[in-house]
Amino acid sequence: MVGKDTEGRKNAELHRLEEAAGGGRVAHTGFLEPDVSAQLVHALTGLGVSARAWGGFAGARRRVVTAFPSHIPEASTSLTSVCLPEVGDTANLRSLVSAAGVPREALGDSVQHREGVALVTFDPPPAELTSLSALEGHPVTPRVVPLDTGVAGGLRRLSVVVPSLRVDVVGAKGFRVSRSYFSKGVAGGKVSVNGNRVGKSGGAEVGDEIYAEGLGRLRVLSVDGETRRGNVKVSLEVEAT
């Protein structure tokens, strides 16, 4: 759903997570699209709530947001994957599995596992997924397999020197692409900051998450001073797809 209903559901989730963390409990969402997960984390952080988003591997598109009380150093939600060896392509797999009765919020990214196509999901997986016997009339035999961290991109930290914290400048440096290439993504509406689409002159701040479709996401960890020429030293954490 879109519009007011989507905004209402997001606000309800925000309230639920804030209340749980404030009451000393760990709580999590289902798998969310990149913009919604980023918006929730940003909003929770703004409220002083510890939160993180994770999709099972670095660069995952769909992620689960976990909120936790401040006395806990770190928390996340247990994830695994379910392999469907008979399926040869990841395209539309999540939609097919959802149409077969598996809750969409229980399904993360579809990935090419070494044993076949797999879907990231919660640990333990939903019974609707592990008990699947057919997809579009073809037999399948789901198997729970460990998450293979090699199925997608990687996580790295780096320090860069940039003339400003404009999104196109930071994004190009972080993803190691040309500024003109990254700017085309911004102009095409494929780049967001904390879940909100950004314009060509948009900027980023410490703590912000920049998401670029097809490239991954990065977080601005810190600004570490200026060079003699007035450029800015910035530390980034990059999840490449």
Side-chain angles (χ1 to χ4, degrees):
M1 296 183 182
V2 295
K4 292 183 179 179
D5 187 62
T6 298
E7 194 66 24
R9 290 170 60 187
K10 186 172 65 179
N11 289 336
E13 279 288 76
L14 176 62
H15 177 73
R16 181 180 68 84
L17 295 171
E18 180 190 13
E19 190 175 62
R25 305 187 307 278
V26 176
H28 64 84
T29 67
F31 284 90
L32 303 171
E33 291 297 312
D35 56 343
V36 180
S37 64
Q39 288 166 8
L40 272 179
V41 170
H42 183 66
L44 287 165
T45 303
L47 293 170
V49 177
S50 299
R52 68 164 297 187
W54 181 239
F57 58 89
R61 187 175 187 278
R62 285 171 61 83
R63 300 181 298 171
V64 174
V65 174
T66 303
F68 48 97
S70 57
H71 66 270
I72 298 177
E74 185 66 42
S76 62
T77 303
S78 295
L79 302 177
T80 187
S81 63
V82 172
C83 182
L84 302 169
E86 299 84 359
V87 179
D89 192 354
T90 60
N92 301 318
L93 177 59
R94 187 170 59 250
S95 296
L96 291 175
V97 170
S98 180
V102 181
R104 193 172 181 83
E105 61 270 17
L107 301 173
D109 286 3
S110 55
V111 294
Q112 194 67 49
H113 191 272
R114 61 179 177 271
E115 297 182 34
V117 176
L119 279 167
V120 179
T121 187
F122 294 110
D123 186 14
E128 297 95 332
L129 178 56
T130 55
S131 63
L132 273 180
S133 60
L135 278 179
E136 291 193 310
H138 302 288
V140 292
T141 54
R143 288 201 317 110
V144 179
V145 295
L147 274 171
D148 186 346
T149 55
V151 297
L155 177 68
R156 69 180 188 275
R157 293 195 177 193
L158 67 157
S159 179
V160 300
V161 176
V162 290
S164 73
L165 289 181
R166 276 179 52 140
V167 171
D168 57 349
V169 175
V170 176
K173 277 284 189 178
F175 293 114
R176 296 174 177 171
V177 297
S178 71
R179 185 172 171 182
S180 62
Y181 177 85
F182 198 83
S183 295
K184 289 179 181 178
V186 173
K190 296 182 178 181
V191 178
S192 60
V193 175
N194 300 325
N196 299 305
R197 299 298 181 191
V198 64
K200 63 180 182 179
S201 61
E205 299 178 354
V206 173
D208 282 350
E209 176 184 287
I210 299 173
Y211 177 76
E213 292 183 30
L215 293 176
R217 60 178 56 84
L218 64 79
R219 279 167 288 278
V220 182
L221 300 178
S222 62
V223 174
D224 307 318
E226 292 187 1
T227 67
R228 292 181 179 178
R229 296 186 177 183
N231 292 323
V232 186
K233 299 177 182 177
V234 183
S235 292
L236 305 174
E237 182 179 73
V238 182
E239 289 184 36
T241 55

